[in-house]
Amino acid sequence: RRRMPQASGRYMRGPGRRYLPLACGILLRACLADGEIERARRCAAEAQAVLDETGERWYEPELTRLNGDIRAAGGDTAGAERAYSRATEQAARLGAGLWHRQAAERYSRLLAKRGELERARAVLDESIAALPGGRHRAAPENERGGVDA
């Protein structure tokens, strides 16, 4: 992990720069897994700077979700909730079903931990409906909608 930023070299300064947020996201996840919240924040800031510089928005929903994970890891549940909600909106706008689902799952888990099970279920239901063919899927076996606090 420590060599990843150095190994990117010229490719990441040139045509590969648009993929740098993805690489930062991978590193960010590893930092969170190791409890390195400040380092994860720096990775997120670097990824956001590249998105802003290039105007590319394809990775924005995932980066916003990861920012929610950083906030949750740091104990900022209100900030995490805002980030997860924003990530679901961004993903829906881009038609990014998988990222929408991942953000909705994080959001619903956060709500469920606070005891807001109905709201958590509504977030998941909306996410399922947003997926191609989602409105026609069978109800989940778990009556709580897959939300395990």
Side-chain angles (χ1 to χ4, degrees), residues 2-147:
R2 301 206 187 277
R3 289 193 215 161
M4 189 172 175
Q6 298 153 349
S8 57
R10 275 185 281 165
Y11 180 72
M12 286 300 177
R13 288 189 297 272
R17 186 148 181 83
R18 68 182 290 207
Y19 299 107
L20 187 59
L22 180 61
C24 289
I26 293 167
L27 182 59
L28 187 160
R29 283 185 201 82
C31 290
L32 282 176
D34 285 348
E36 297 181 38
I37 297 170
E38 284 308 312
R39 190 161 182 220
R41 281 190 180 112
R42 288 192 304 271
C43 291
E46 182 178 356
Q48 187 62 55
V50 172
L51 291 179
D52 293 343
E53 171 192 316
T54 63
E56 297 278 346
R57 292 292 169 230
W58 62 273
Y59 195 68
E60 191 171 45
E62 179 66 354
L63 182 58
T64 303
R65 181 188 66 83
L66 290 169
N67 271 305
D69 290 350
I70 292 169
R71 290 177 180 280
D76 179 7
T77 56
E81 181 178 351
R82 285 190 305 273
Y84 295 147
S85 177
R86 194 169 51 248
T88 58
E89 292 166 7
Q90 292 167 339
R93 192 169 46 253
L94 292 174
L98 177 62
W99 283 339
H100 188 278
R101 181 60 189 240
Q102 288 175 332
E105 285 175 3
R106 289 292 204 304
Y107 189 14
S108 67
R109 285 183 193 279
L110 183 126
L111 293 170
K113 283 181 183 178
R114 289 198 320 226
E116 297 181 49
L117 297 179
E118 289 299 318
R119 195 166 157 214
R121 176 65 186 251
V123 167
L124 283 181
D125 286 346
E126 179 184 318
S127 176
I128 290 169
L131 292 170
R135 295 188 193 283
H136 305 293
R137 292 187 178 182
E141 289 181 28
N142 181 345
E143 281 303 310
R144 289 176 42 197
V147 177

